[in-house]
Amino acid sequence: MRTVTGGEVAGILVAVFWAILVSFLAVALARLTQTLRATTKLVADVTDQAVPLLADASRAVRSAQTQIDRVDAIASDVQEVTSNASALSTTVASTFGGPLVKVAAFGYGVRRALGGRKEDVPARTPRRTVIVGRTVPAARRGKRNNREK
């Protein structure tokens, strides 16, 4: 029987350690390879789905831009119509406004002159004037006005 020296025991331990280490590294590399394959498949699937989505989004943006251009054209037309209506309203007011007011005032004056006062209708009660928180009777106001004249 042969005796095993300390150097041989150390060599065997180092060899076993390296065998275990290589085994763990092989398992880790195998799992890393599976993870990379799954990641590659996932990226390919996302790319396959993202390209049509990006095309749809691009189409939607172009459509929105077209609609915005149309709304802008409509808004400018509305602004032009508004300014034309304002000009027309100013023209109508200056042309017919003065004479219509004069005719209305004349008609009111004629109505008041011809209408007169009916005897069975009581006279209106005079209005009261408020001066700094108190009420002054209308008769008193008339007296003040007569004194001032």
Side-chain angles (χ1 to χ4, degrees):
M1 204 111 73
R2 177 172 180 249
T3 60
V4 182
T5 64
E8 292 174 342
V9 172
I12 291 174
L13 286 176
V14 169
V16 170
F17 173 73
W18 277 108
I20 292 172
L21 181 64
V22 168
S23 299
F24 280 125
L25 288 175
V27 169
L29 285 174
R31 288 190 179 174
L32 181 62
T33 303
Q34 289 174 351
T35 304
L36 287 175
R37 283 184 186 150
T39 305
T40 303
K41 185 177 183 292
L42 179 66
V43 168
D45 290 344
V46 167
T47 302
D48 290 343
Q49 293 176 2
V51 170
L53 288 176
L54 289 174
D56 290 345
S58 177
R59 235 179 280 120
V61 168
R62 275 191 233 111
S63 173
Q65 183 62 38
T66 303
Q67 296 301 325
I68 288 173
D69 292 341
R70 289 179 183 170
V71 168
D72 188 36
I74 290 170
S76 65
D77 291 345
V78 167
Q79 184 178 10
E80 184 179 336
V81 166
T82 303
S83 65
N84 289 344
S86 174
L88 179 64
S89 134
T90 304
T91 303
V92 167
S94 65
T95 303
F96 297 114
L100 284 178
V101 169
K102 289 178 184 176
V103 166
F106 178 74
Y108 178 75
V110 167
R111 206 171 346 140
R112 290 280 288 178
L114 294 179
R117 176 171 249 186
K118 295 184 180 173
E119 321 248 330
D120 55 350
V121 177
R124 273 184 16 187
T125 58
R127 291 178 53 194
R128 296 181 176 262
T129 305
V130 176
I131 300 175
V132 190
R134 17 174 252 186
T135 305
V136 178
R140 215 168 136 193
R141 269 190 313 190
K143 291 179 185 176
R144 272 192 195 165
N145 288 341
N146 289 340
R147 275 189 241 151
E148 291 174 2
K149 290 181 184 177

